[in-house]
Amino acid sequence: MRILVIGGTWFLGKCIAEGALARGWSVTTFNRGRSGRDVEGVEPIHGDRKDRDDLHRLAQRGPWDAVIDTSSSDFPPRDVLLAATSLRAAAQRWVHISTVSVYQGWPHQALTDVSPLLECPPDADDSYGYTGEDGGPTVYGFQKAGGERAVTEAFGDAAVFLRPGVILGPGEYVGRLPWWLTRAKRGGRILAPGPSSQRIQPVDVRDVTEFALDQAASETSGGYNVTHPEGITFAAFLGECLAVTGGAGKPEWVEPSILTDHGVAQWTELPLWRTHAGVWSVDSGRAVAAGLQCRPIADTIRDTWAWLAADGRPVDHPRCAEHGIASEKEAKILASLA
């Protein structure tokens, strides 16, 4: 197999490049050369995916059996369309890393792989879409849905869309699991979002990697929800964080209404916490039938802590600063419960 990874220097893109090399594949990566180092063993090509000339130069380095696009999150549909059409003659397949946010019902409704998608033109700019007052839909979701349409316009049935919810694991740059781990290590009373029995479905970056590579080598098409089919309760999640870090903390489970009354921002101040009914009700049955295998989330927690303890340093990213509640605010809320 000969593949092109758009991205390829950090978290999922890096993991995919490394995984493809481990399979004995020939790997080209394309990125701006600004975030992280090129993986040893790949053929690195630096350029801007928004630049038509850079894309033309890249296409001359093909052909590839498949493109895996890991870096479309920060680009509007028209830029995805430009890349896909520019590379169509140089690649047989396109595996696109998308998101569950493309669904009309997210985050309010339970979802399957055939749930209706948001509508967005394939040539839309970054102004298209809106964010609902009740948390969904989102501009991000519209933009990613348009990106999927752009790839479909170029590759048709030779396109595959992987729709994760939350990806965790070693190398995570957003900071969700690293924040919970460092908070657990600090110990004391820990503000925990109730109910403790709430199941969450984050998926390990290494499992997304293997599924993406399998899809690159297959003849399948269409969309796959890439979420953990079993998940883990929030109580077990925090329990694992405490166990692996050796933290002497005690979770204080607080009702969502109390947290919102205190102005705790969902999804960020207490990472992975959100009250909308559909956030963690995403069926990944089609992906499992196609070969998705997810390790226990406890293993993801353990391995991420091992990475952090070994001085793991994620690529600097502004989203990391958004995650985690300030210790003063946490203490004030906990004090109000006494």
Side-chain angles (χ1 to χ4, degrees):
M1 282 284 293
R2 189 163 189 258
I3 68 167
L4 167 66
V5 180
I6 303 181
T9 60
W10 47 293
F11 200 39
L12 178 58
K14 179 183 178 183
C15 196
I16 286 175
E18 292 174 338
L21 290 171
R23 294 188 180 201
W25 295 2
S26 173
V27 182
T28 302
T29 57
F30 179 68
N31 54 70
R32 291 175 294 185
R34 299 177 185 175
S35 300
R37 297 179 180 178
D38 294 307
V39 172
E40 184 175 354
V42 306
E43 177 191 10
I45 300 174
H46 292 161
D48 190 337
R49 64 178 295 161
K50 298 174 64 173
D51 188 298
R52 193 179 301 273
D53 291 337
D54 283 355
L55 290 169
H56 177 74
R57 175 171 54 85
L58 173 63
Q60 304 310 304
R61 306 292 283 271
W64 297 281
D65 297 301
V67 174
I68 303 180
D69 186 0
T70 69
S71 71
S72 69
S73 295
D74 297 328
F75 298 91
R78 66 180 182 187
D79 291 337
V80 177
L81 181 64
L82 174 62
T85 54
S86 297
L87 297 173
R88 182 62 184 98
Q92 295 182 28
R93 292 174 59 72
W94 187 288
V95 178
H96 196 73
I97 308 301
S98 187
T99 170
V100 295
S101 297
V102 298
Y103 290 111
Q104 292 180 18
W106 195 89
H108 304 287
Q109 302 170 9
L111 300 172
T112 70
D113 300 283
V114 296
S115 296
L117 305 181
L118 294 167
E119 293 290 336
C120 179
D123 58 351
D125 62 21
D126 58 9
S127 67
Y128 192 92
Y130 63 92
T131 295
E133 293 182 0
D134 56 355
T138 63
V139 171
Y140 175 72
F142 280 105
Q143 293 281 306
K144 292 291 279 186
E148 288 196 13
R149 286 195 61 190
V151 173
T152 299
E153 185 165 303
F155 278 80
D157 290 339
V160 179
F161 304 101
L162 308 189
R163 299 169 183 148
V166 171
I167 303 176
L168 304 178
E172 184 201 335
Y173 66 91
V174 176
R176 296 184 176 105
L177 179 50
W179 185 84
W180 278 115
L181 286 165
T182 55
R183 178 63 191 89
K185 178 66 174 176
R186 193 167 81 240
R189 296 174 69 198
I190 299 174
L191 185 66
S196 61
S197 60
Q198 170 67 57
R199 299 194 75 84
I200 59 177
Q201 297 176 280
V203 63
D204 193 289
V205 64
R206 295 162 293 185
D207 299 331
V208 180
T209 288
E210 292 305 310
F211 189 63
L213 294 173
D214 288 346
Q215 294 311 303
S218 76
E219 296 181 355
T220 57
S221 64
Y224 293 93
N225 295 333
V226 186
T227 56
H228 202 290
E230 299 167 2
I232 189 173
T233 66
F234 227 118
F237 174 83
L238 287 187
E240 291 291 342
C241 289
L242 288 163
V244 301
T245 62
K250 181 181 184 299
E252 299 282 347
W253 298 99
V254 180
E255 290 299 316
S257 60
I258 296 175
L259 295 174
T260 54
D261 285 346
H262 282 275
V264 178
Q266 298 186 41
W267 210 235
T268 52
E269 285 195 293
L270 291 179
L272 305 179
W273 167 62
R274 199 162 182 176
T275 58
H276 302 85
V279 171
W280 301 117
S281 297
V282 182
D283 178 29
S284 57
R286 184 170 188 254
V288 171
L292 173 66
Q293 297 184 33
C294 292
R295 70 197 69 205
I297 295 172
D299 291 354
T300 303
I301 295 170
R302 181 195 65 231
D303 294 345
T304 302
W305 178 246
W307 166 70
L308 288 170
D311 200 29
R313 297 180 183 275
V315 172
D316 187 31
H317 196 282
R319 290 181 67 187
C320 188
E322 300 174 356
H323 289 82
I325 190 169
S327 57
E328 298 83 2
K329 183 173 182 178
E330 180 186 26
K332 181 178 180 181
I333 297 172
L334 289 170
S336 73
L337 305 175

